[in-house]
Amino acid sequence: MEHLAGGDLSEVLLVRRPDGRLSVAKGGPAAASEAAMLRGLAAAGVPSPAVEGELGGVLMLEHVENDRVFSPAAWRSIGSALRRLHDKQGESYGWPVDYALGTVALDNRQRSEWPAFWLEQRLVPTASVLDRPWRERIAALGSVIADLLPAAPAPALLHGDLWSGNILVRGGRLVALLDPACYHGHAEVDLAMLTLFDTPDAAFWEAYGPLEPGWRARRPAYQLFPALVHLRLFGAGYAGMVERLLAALDGAD
């Protein structure tokens, strides 16, 4: 066995089976939830590692070869797959079970009001253990979020933790999306996180298709959540990112 790159929030090992096949063993408290999410991605027509087994907090997955070359063709493949994922819609916002991103617990109670879900089940709880000035500024965003976000966007199936580290490509095409944190919500949530940490090629946007009017104004509100998660998990190096996004939202008030 050997450790694989990544695994910021859980241990990930490459396992060589007796017949020579390679598998990935991933530890964590939510193996069954992640297995269900990976199966959900596959059912939506999105490449993802096959689930080989789950037992006692260990998830066994197919090992997917990749070359990490994000060419325009690869970005086009990613854009097409993400559109397929987002076209798979639910009946409400949220997910059947709660889970966590590391130590950040996520409240996935399903509801029909999107701005309230985003503020009350993503932004405010994630900021709840930060210093008081951060908490107060996030709590004060209620009117901004209510005015800025659509009341009832299509409840798209989201990957939920979309950045290039969770995207495997090979030979100019997407071969797997990894480490999902799925729920149903506004499709722009995935796009916002992807653009927070990466710069998709123009081919990605062409393949994904047109965005809804007002997406630029909404993007800071959606990027604020992963920024807060990173501030919680990885420290003060992300404070500037959070501050920048809050300043953008102050300007939207």
Side-chain angles (χ1 to χ4, degrees), residues 8 66 122 189 201 211:
D8 290 331
N66 65 98
R122 287 300 182 263
V189 169
D201 187 88
L211 303 183

Side-chain angles (χ1 to χ4, degrees), residues 167-180:
I167 301 172
L168 300 184
V169 296
R170 185 182 185 191
R173 65 183 180 89
L174 173 69
V175 291
L177 293 185
L178 306 176
D179 297 342

